[in-house]
Amino acid sequence: MKCPFCGYPDTKVIDSRPSESKKRRRRECTNCGKRFTTYEVIEKPLLMVYKRDSSFEPFDKVKLFKGLQNAIKKRPVSVDDMNALVDNIENTFANRMQTETTTEEIGDMVLDGLKKLDHVAYVRFASVYKDFADVDSFIQIISELSADKDKSAGKPAKKDEDK
Ligand SMILES: [Zn+2]
């Protein structure tokens, strides 16, 4: 690693620690003594997302995040929760070494994640993403949620009020 200050080609690592998916290295130039930090990032395979009209584009975390914003508006879901959800989706593909996916697959993963976070956000996202064609499909989603709630009986059900 070349020193960014004097260009000397030899620097030594004085401290190294992993921080989530990045490894942080503190380096010192053996010539001028200046210190700087480098990050080693694990390269993820490029993931292509096929859309319903069979066009495709690279997976875009920011875009996915933005797509979720309406669903979580005024809901008790934090930015950290959303980041974790989006990271988790990206990591799932990376761990599988998967290079192609569909908007449907991503949408289903988002729904799985939202279901655990907030039921109102879940229904909002589902209504847009599943593009409810009729009342029946809407009722189906709601009854699936109620069935889930029954399964986790014992815990007091969180009240979902949306105003
Ligand atoms: Zn230097």
Side-chain angles (χ1 to χ4, degrees), residues 102-144:
T102 58
T103 48
E104 278 91 348
E105 192 176 17
I106 291 177
D108 286 342
M109 288 163 101
V110 169
L111 284 175
D112 271 354
L114 285 180
K115 202 184 237 178
K116 288 169 204 142
L117 287 172
D118 184 71
H119 282 173
V120 171
Y122 171 86
V123 173
R124 280 185 190 156
F125 187 79
S127 72
V128 174
Y129 159 69
K130 297 255 184 212
D131 195 14
F132 290 152
D134 49 47
V135 179
D136 285 349
S137 51
F138 189 77
I139 290 170
Q140 198 199 325
I141 289 278
I142 305 290
S143 52
E144 275 170 22

Side-chain angles (χ1 to χ4, degrees), residues 3-8 11 29-34:
C3 171
F5 301 101
C6 71
Y8 193 71
T11 51
C29 176
T30 54
N31 180 48
C32 70
K34 286 204 171 100

Side-chain angles (χ1 to χ4, degrees), residues 8-43:
Y8 193 71
D10 185 35
T11 51
K12 63 178 181 196
V13 175
I14 52 174
D15 182 31
S16 175
R17 62 182 123 151
S19 66
E20 291 172 27
S21 62
K22 286 182 281 193
K23 197 177 168 89
R24 182 181 184 273
R25 286 206 175 94
R26 196 78 185 126
R27 291 173 188 268
E28 189 183 274
C29 176
T30 54
N31 180 48
C32 70
K34 286 204 171 100
R35 291 179 175 187
F36 58 102
T37 306
T38 57
Y39 291 95
E40 185 179 78
V41 182
I42 297 154
E43 194 180 29

